Amino acid sequence: MENVTGEGISDQIERFQTQLQMDGRGRKHRILMVSDFFFPNFGGVESHIYYLSQCLLKLGHKVIVMTHAYGNRSGVRYVTGGLKVYYVPWKPFLMQNTLPTLFLTFPIVRTILIREKISVVHGHQAFSTLCHEALMHARTMGKENTVLRSGISPEKVFMVPNAVDTAMFTPSPDRLSCDEIVIVVISRLVYRKGADLLVEVIPEVCRLFPKVRFIVGGDGPKRVRIEEMREKFSLQDRVEMLGAVPHAQVRSVLISEAFCIAILEAASCGLLTVSTRVGGVPEVLPDDMVVLAEPAPEDMVRAVRKAIDMLPGIDPQVMHLRMKKLYSWDDVAKRTEIVYDRAMRSPQTDLLERLPRCGAWAGKLFCLVMIINYLLWCLLEYLQPTEGIEEVPDIRPVHARLESVDDTCETQGKGI
């Protein structure tokens, strides 16, 4: 399959639909989703894992989620649709990530892989320690994973976009007035989310546009800096701090405003979006639905000015219908299904073939780590043979009782 990173959104959807028809209904997989970030924590990664898992269950696959314990939430839990979650007894170390141990997670990862008869391990979030360790252990045991590593052939790279629950994020039925423009920021207030830019952008925008005010929803270590900025420039009446906003209440914040800095959910509400030109953000929305800026205060101010000028020509209902066509969890699940099918059919590469991609020094270190991991696996097999681990009987998921797998997943799981 060709590299799709340079394609337009519509071309990607059409090509994946064609590929799905060519591949037909693939084999049913037993998938382990692994990440440090999951419910009860709220965020983009958590929502992505949940909605993707629900739609894959509906397509007939077995899906299990593995994450670390959250407070008293430990052990095995079931959430909406029969989705099974292993909250392994590891406590977060920093920013909800578990402490990197390399090898100490192997026994419990191995037990889960064997008990659930997992065939594919899907890691989420590059910052997740648990994700990387589980992928390494799964690879040692011969399981497939969908992590993308540098230096691999472009033919093996798949770009599957995120999606949005368009049934949940809908425009306001009333056309909002542009007499007052409210800029809404819904984000974790941390450095990597660009919270530092707000400290410089907000005072300048408020100076240039007297009819603009800000609503900031979210929490994090950078919240203190934003509050200090608000006091310094006497913007208490023009900058409202909401604190953490539960995902179910995000829409109620968005639809009451005329302008927003949030991407898919904002666009689904029919709102114009401003974002920094970093990572994969430029590929998320068409040019007429988002204004992009370099991650610098002066360019962000320019982008806000441009967005304000574009506001009178925005039709929220038309934008919502476009988002509904472009981004669907059903489509994301089917495209991910193709990736799983291709991964299962791809030839296995041994350790010696993978080492040159790691570099001269990193390759030797990686080789040492994998040798130790392999020896640990042999020790675990000796102390607790695979045959001695009881396999979990498969339970028919709730989705299997649906009459058709083509029913949309969008209304599934409004509360987990």
Side-chain angles (χ1 to χ4, degrees):
M1 194 169 201
E2 63 189 43
N3 189 337
V4 302
T5 54
E7 294 178 307
I9 297 173
S10 300
D11 294 334
Q12 293 174 21
I13 293 176
E14 182 179 353
R15 191 177 61 81
F16 267 91
Q17 289 174 340
T18 302
Q19 186 64 57
L20 186 62
Q21 295 173 356
M22 292 173 59
D23 286 0
R25 183 66 62 185
R27 59 181 293 182
K28 299 306 176 186
H29 302 289
R30 300 171 181 271
I31 306 153
L32 180 65
M33 304 282 189
V34 187
S35 180
D36 279 301
F37 310 101
F38 194 63
F39 178 82
N41 200 40
F42 289 98
V45 176
E46 295 84 348
S47 297
H48 180 89
I49 295 173
Y50 174 74
Y51 282 112
L52 177 59
S53 298
Q54 292 293 333
C55 288
L56 289 170
L57 283 170
K58 193 175 175 186
L59 290 172
H61 303 284
K62 177 177 180 177
V63 184
I64 306 294
V65 176
M66 176 183 169
T67 188
H68 63 69
Y70 281 86
N72 295 327
R73 186 179 290 266
S74 183
V76 179
R77 302 287 185 96
Y78 286 87
V79 298
T80 308
L83 177 61
K84 188 176 184 179
V85 184
Y86 281 87
Y87 290 94
V88 300
W90 291 90
K91 297 296 183 180
F93 169 67
L94 179 66
M95 298 178 64
Q96 293 301 328
N97 274 289
T98 51
L99 179 69
T101 63
L102 289 182
F103 309 111
L104 296 184
T105 52
F106 200 170
I108 194 165
V109 170
R110 171 178 174 267
T111 300
I112 293 174
L113 293 178
I114 295 173
R115 281 178 55 81
E116 301 292 347
K117 296 169 283 187
I118 299 298
S119 58
V120 176
V121 179
H122 189 161
H124 296 266
Q125 179 56 275
F127 297 101
S128 171
T129 302
L130 187 62
C131 159
H132 289 292
E133 292 188 3
L135 291 171
M136 181 181 72
H137 302 324
R139 189 63 175 173
T140 299
M141 295 176 63
K143 305 294 182 180
E144 286 294 340
N145 66 69
T146 61
V147 69
L148 300 182
R149 302 183 186 276
S150 60
I152 64 177
S153 171
E155 287 75 19
K156 296 183 179 180
V157 177
F158 294 79
M159 198 284 287
V160 180
N162 212 330
V164 61
D165 186 352
T166 54
M168 180 177 180
F169 291 92
T170 56
S172 170
D174 302 320
R175 185 65 182 264
L176 300 176
S177 171
C178 289
D179 293 337
E180 181 186 44
I181 298 174
V182 181
I183 301 179
V184 180
V185 182
I186 301 286
S187 173
R188 290 180 185 150
L189 302 181
V190 296
Y191 174 78
R192 68 183 183 88
K193 293 289 187 178
D196 289 278
L197 290 173
L198 295 176
V199 176
E200 300 184 56
V201 170
I202 290 177
E204 182 65 13
V205 172
C206 289
R207 184 185 68 82
L208 294 173
F209 303 99
K211 64 179 180 178
V212 168
R213 66 184 181 91
F214 284 82
I215 292 180
V216 181
D219 206 348
K222 298 298 181 180
R223 178 176 177 174
V224 175
R225 287 203 61 196
I226 298 175
E227 291 178 340
E228 290 175 347
M229 173 273 299
R230 188 174 63 164
E231 296 291 332
K232 178 180 178 180
F233 294 93
S234 301
L235 296 175
Q236 293 89 339
D237 59 334
R238 298 183 65 183
V239 180
E240 180 181 355
M241 304 291 292
L242 297 182
V245 180
H247 191 253
Q249 298 178 16
V250 170
R251 175 187 175 272
S252 64
V253 176
L254 297 182
I255 65 171
S256 63
E257 314 307 338
F259 177 78
C260 175
I261 302 179
I263 302 202
L264 295 182
E265 293 168 347
S268 184
C269 288
L271 305 178
L272 190 57
T273 304
V274 169
S275 182
T276 50
R277 194 189 305 273
V278 294
V281 171
E283 301 174 15
V284 172
L285 290 174
D287 293 340
D288 60 332
M289 297 173 70
V290 61
V291 180
L292 297 174
E294 298 301 323
E298 58 276 8
D299 206 44
M300 285 294 296
V301 173
R302 176 202 59 79
V304 171
R305 182 194 295 272
K306 179 180 178 181
I308 290 174
D309 293 338
M310 292 171 59
L311 275 180
I314 298 298
D315 188 330
Q317 298 297 334
V318 172
M319 187 178 292
H320 175 73
L321 292 176
R322 290 177 66 188
M323 289 297 298
K324 192 172 183 179
K325 181 179 179 181
L326 289 173
Y327 293 100
S328 161
W329 280 113
D330 292 303
D331 178 62
V332 169
K334 291 174 182 177
R335 294 166 74 160
T336 305
E337 187 180 39
I338 293 175
V339 178
Y340 293 158
D341 290 338
R342 289 299 184 91
M344 295 301 294
R345 293 200 299 265
S346 63
Q348 293 285 345
T349 56
D350 58 32
L351 182 61
L352 294 178
E353 293 178 10
R354 291 153 55 200
L355 285 180
R357 298 202 299 260
C358 301
W361 292 103
K364 294 180 176 63
L365 181 61
F366 176 68
C367 181
L368 177 62
V369 170
M370 293 305 295
I371 289 173
I372 296 174
N373 210 48
Y374 177 79
L375 294 175
L376 178 58
W377 179 37
C378 294
L379 178 62
L380 292 173
E381 285 289 334
Y382 174 76
L383 296 176
Q384 187 181 26
T386 299
E387 296 76 16
I389 299 177
E390 182 181 5
E391 294 182 349
V392 176
D394 292 332
I395 300 175
R396 193 180 184 211
V398 174
H399 297 293
R401 297 198 294 267
L402 298 175
E403 293 181 2
S404 170
V405 297
D406 293 326
D407 298 331
T408 62
C409 292
E410 304 297 348
T411 56
Q412 297 289 338
K414 295 301 180 227
I416 301 181

